Amino acid sequence: MGAMRAPCALVFALLIACGGSPSDPADAGAVIDAAITPAIECVRPFHGEMVLDEPMRPIPFVAAIRAPGATSARVNDVAIAIDANGLVTTEIPVRFGVNDVEVEVDGVRQLCTFVVAPAFAATDGDDPRVGTTALLQIGGSGVDDGDDDTTLGSLDDVLTRAGTAGLIAGALDVGLGSFVFDVVPCTTDPGTGCSTGPQVMFTTIDLDTSMLGAPEESELSVVDGGLRVIARSRDLRLGVHVVGWTYEAHMVCDDVTLECHPVGPDFDSMGTVELDLEITTIVDVGLDGATPTATTRTIEAVRITSVDVELPDIHELIRDPIVGSLRSQLPSERATASARDDLGDAYGEGVRALVEGLLRGLETPLARGSLSVPSYAGATTELRLAATPTRIEASAEHGLLLGIRSRYELMGDAVRDGGRGIALESAAIDVDTMLHEASRSAVSVVALNQTFHALHRAGALDGVVAPDMVVAPDMVVAPDMVVAPDMVVAPDMMRLDATVPPIASVDASGVSLMLGGMTATFDGPAPYGDGLRVRFSALARASTVSSGADPSFGGIELTELRVAAEGRAMSSAETATVRAYVAVLSHFLASSLLDRSQPALPAPTLRAPSTITIGGRALSTGIAEGTQLGSAPTWRAAEGRFESSGAFREL
């Protein structure tokens, strides 16, 4: 690992400073040739090191110099004395990401490049330090858009579609069947819900729910910790079986046969009940480890209203008081307590199972297969995106918050050591604003850096690049110059090697890409010759981000550019020629990395379930397999992330 190699680098640097290996007797007391080209070695941090430290504060820097007669070196254009051991030592301020230190002695320059971050994420396995890299926030009309389920434009539409398909009715059937609720003796006490007048005693009231359908109307809202669901059914028709007796009895005689028989006081009759039903339940949502869960917090209310009763088997002489008493008892909270509990529990289980099934579809569509990612060097790297649920929260203020943690895994073997891992600055995405749209997606810049790091480990950023592959706009803007690509002197061939992975950062004004630790070996006409090795570093800034699931980046300009030829002092003209071409090359690399080498942003979506299992029965939701719900992609840059807000809909 990077931190373990520093002592070895220091020993090597001291050997350079002393002019050779002390184990070689021939070197003892040898006179150093004054014509030796100065050699510069990065010691601390060494070239390509990943430094675990806080940005925006100085860290020690040490370089070893082998330059006969030289007494000082310039470090980032500041003169520093060379000590008796051939070392220059100073402190330099650092920033997050790629840092460069330029050391110059007698016209020879060297770039020392290293990465600084307050934390690094492991490349193998799921690292909780990464936090939430992508977030889906659903609120307002994304929870309930107030219309039907012709198109799935809200979570309530999913509930309505599933109800129409019979899922809720199936859940009620599984949970209820035919049930009996406790009856309350009918007295003149208003608390029983009985009407005054002739008294009726029910010993049995059975309700047959086999004809019970799904609620016709529903309302969905977010409360702290979960979802509140209000379901209404109008003119709900149920079979009923009543047994009991009245305080009245009649003798009925046949006018022809003159035979008489009693009517009442006992009765045992089948009939129908028609009523309006409203059930309110709260379902809590959350995570059990990395598994989304939904649990019924409470059945807030089960209301029965607008009751109509038909009991055609009961003689008309005693029917009215029985019908009236039953009509009075059914809406009564005391009389129908057990019935309401059973109805609420069965309905609540149907809603809970549907919500949990929907939440367990939290994913990113990119995780369904391998991703073929091209690089500027012509290689194609196969990656697999894994997504772990990290956040399922419900807030009355912010809506429903669904987060995942992404990571890219190589499908093949790694070529380069991953070092400390992926540089992290502020990985987790937080919610600090109200959501005025139906939904919002946010993807951390960490997702970009995960891709760059994976490509770096795969060796996809190294290789031979033909100069005719380097494409740039008519004018490349770089520090202190504007370069026309068709006016520069290009090499005939080059090989690129990336010592550290590119690192991106994002703010509201655009995207910055740090290209550092790059080494180009050029072959071609002067000043390249046969194998000119150049270290270079650039900071590219893209000021525009296009809309779409896979955004592109434009308005790229170079705000920093450093170039150093290894072990060679170049003239001003040679330096200008090489620097102009490296500017064009850096623009091409930045454009290629941001656009061609980045898959679509891994925005979270909800995969709506096509079936839900309740009580061992698989019930259809009426939703096609693979249906994805999410925020319409209209990406824009924000602090540390990309954001998209707008309609919540089928994707």
Side-chain angles (χ1 to χ4, degrees):
M1 303 295 286
M4 298 175 62
R5 292 174 54 191
C8 298
L10 180 58
V11 171
F12 178 64
L14 290 173
L15 294 179
I16 291 178
C18 295
S21 171
S23 63
D24 186 353
D27 287 341
V31 177
I32 298 176
D33 185 357
I36 292 177
T37 300
I40 304 169
E41 179 72 17
C42 313
V43 176
R44 181 184 181 190
F46 60 81
H47 186 61
E49 185 174 354
M50 293 184 174
V51 179
L52 182 64
D53 208 330
E54 292 294 331
M56 307 309 294
R57 69 181 186 184
I59 66 170
F61 174 80
V62 180
I65 309 295
R66 181 183 180 183
T71 59
S72 67
R74 300 193 70 81
V75 178
N76 283 349
D77 212 27
V78 176
I80 305 293
I82 302 173
D83 67 18
N85 294 316
L87 302 177
V88 290
T89 303
T90 186
E91 287 192 337
I92 55 170
V94 294
R95 66 187 178 193
F96 168 78
V98 178
N99 290 260
D100 299 290
V101 179
E102 185 178 73
V103 183
E104 187 267 333
V105 178
D106 294 342
V108 175
R109 293 182 175 87
Q110 184 63 289
L111 275 183
C112 301
T113 301
F114 51 93
V115 173
V116 176
F120 291 87
T123 56
D124 297 326
D126 184 38
D127 190 339
R129 287 175 296 181
V130 176
T132 296
T133 58
L135 181 75
L136 174 61
Q137 183 180 8
I138 309 172
S141 60
V143 175
D144 189 342
D145 56 4
D147 62 11
D148 59 28
D149 63 323
T150 303
T151 59
L152 299 180
S154 68
L155 299 180
D156 184 63
D157 288 349
V158 174
L159 179 63
T160 303
R161 177 78 62 84
T164 303
L167 182 136
I168 301 299
L172 292 172
D173 184 53
V174 169
L176 295 177
S178 179
F179 68 89
V180 180
F181 66 81
D182 299 333
V183 293
V184 177
C186 189
T187 69
T188 56
D189 180 1
T192 65
C194 297
S195 60
T196 58
Q199 296 179 349
V200 177
M201 176 68 73
F202 293 101
T203 58
T204 299
I205 301 177
D206 292 344
L207 291 178
D208 179 7
T209 61
S210 60
M211 296 184 295
L212 195 61
E216 300 163 353
E217 303 172 9
S218 60
E219 294 179 15
L220 196 60
S221 59
V222 181
V223 298
D224 289 339
L227 299 171
R228 174 182 280 116
V229 183
I230 303 175
R232 300 183 184 90
S233 291
R234 310 290 185 187
D235 301 325
L236 195 61
R237 195 172 182 85
L238 305 175
V240 65
H241 174 212
V242 292
V243 180
W245 51 271
T246 72
Y247 284 96
E248 288 189 358
H250 299 271
M251 189 65 69
V252 178
C253 299
D254 188 289
D255 293 339
V256 177
T257 64
L258 300 180
E259 293 181 357
C260 298
H261 62 275
V263 174
D266 298 327
F267 59 86
D268 184 339
S269 177
M270 304 290 291
T272 59
V273 172
E274 194 172 272
L275 50 82
D276 291 347
L277 178 66
E278 181 180 284
I279 300 176
T280 304
T281 182
I282 294 180
V283 177
D284 285 334
V285 297
L287 282 173
D288 182 6
T291 302
T293 61
T295 56
T296 302
R297 180 195 303 180
T298 183
I299 307 298
E300 281 193 329
V302 179
R303 296 183 179 88
I304 298 174
T305 58
S306 303
V307 178
D308 192 14
V309 178
E310 293 183 5
L311 297 172
D313 294 345
I314 296 180
H315 197 281
E316 60 184 8
L317 290 176
I318 61 172
R319 182 189 304 150
D320 287 348
I322 296 172
V323 167
S325 182
L326 183 58
R327 185 185 293 120
S328 298
Q329 282 213 46
L330 285 176
S332 166
E333 292 190 6
R334 180 181 173 190
T336 58
S338 62
R340 292 196 322 278
D341 288 345
D342 291 342
L343 277 169
D345 290 346
Y347 176 77
E349 174 57 18
V351 172
R352 184 211 65 79
L354 180 60
V355 170
E356 185 171 89
L358 186 60
L359 293 179
R360 290 191 176 181
L362 176 61
E363 63 176 17
T364 174
L366 296 181
R368 292 190 173 186
S370 63
L371 303 170
S372 297
V373 182
S375 77
Y376 52 71
T380 297
T381 304
E382 296 295 320
L383 302 178
R384 187 177 74 87
L385 176 62
T388 302
T390 57
R391 186 176 187 181
I392 293 183
E393 298 174 8
S395 162
E397 181 180 7
H398 294 125
L400 191 61
L401 306 173
L402 310 174
I404 60 173
R405 178 168 51 249
S406 60
R407 70 179 186 278
Y408 287 93
E409 301 172 348
L410 293 179
M411 301 292 285
D413 295 331
V415 174
R416 284 186 175 272
D417 179 11
R420 290 184 181 270
I422 301 156
L424 300 177
E425 186 175 22
S426 55
I429 298 175
D430 203 0
V431 176
D432 53 9
T433 58
M434 293 289 291
L435 179 63
H436 300 290
E437 297 84 0
S439 65
R440 164 180 171 260
S441 289
V443 177
S444 169
V445 69
V446 171
L448 269 66
N449 291 329
Q450 288 175 326
T451 306
F452 293 145
H453 198 278
L455 294 176
H456 180 256
R457 290 180 63 217
L461 307 184
D462 307 325
V464 175
V465 178
D468 58 5
M469 294 174 57
V470 178
V471 179
D474 294 339
M475 291 293 176
V476 173
V477 178
D480 302 323
M481 62 178 173
V482 177
V483 182
D486 57 352
M487 300 297 291
V488 302
V489 178
D492 294 332
M493 189 56 66
M494 61 182 157
R495 175 178 174 81
L496 297 178
D497 293 280
T499 305
V500 298
I503 296 178
S505 61
V506 182
D507 58 31
S509 62
V511 182
S512 294
L513 181 64
M514 292 174 270
L515 289 168
M518 300 295 298
T519 300
T521 304
F522 295 121
D523 292 298
Y528 304 109
D530 185 14
L532 173 65
R533 285 176 58 85
V534 173
R535 285 186 185 179
F536 67 95
S537 177
L539 178 61
R541 183 75 177 169
S543 57
T544 60
V545 180
S546 72
S547 299
D550 186 5
S552 60
F553 304 89
I556 295 176
E557 64 178 48
L558 304 180
T559 58
E560 295 180 15
L561 181 66
R562 290 189 172 187
V563 182
E566 290 191 356
R568 174 176 167 181
M570 295 194 301
S571 67
S572 297
E574 290 175 325
T575 299
T577 298
V578 173
R579 192 167 184 269
Y581 183 75
V582 171
V584 174
L585 175 61
S586 297
H587 188 286
F588 163 73
L589 297 179
S591 176
S592 179
L593 285 167
L594 286 173
D595 286 332
R596 296 182 63 244
S597 297
Q598 275 294 335
L601 293 176
T605 61
L606 287 173
R607 178 167 42 85
S610 59
T611 60
I612 294 292
T613 300
I614 300 176
R617 286 174 55 183
L619 303 173
S620 172
T621 64
I623 300 172
E625 179 71 30
T627 298
Q628 296 281 335
L629 305 175
S631 181
T634 53
W635 296 109
R636 62 184 178 276
E639 187 64 36
R641 61 186 180 267
F642 299 95
E643 287 190 350
S644 171
S645 58
F648 180 78
R649 60 178 177 83
E650 294 183 46
L651 300 176

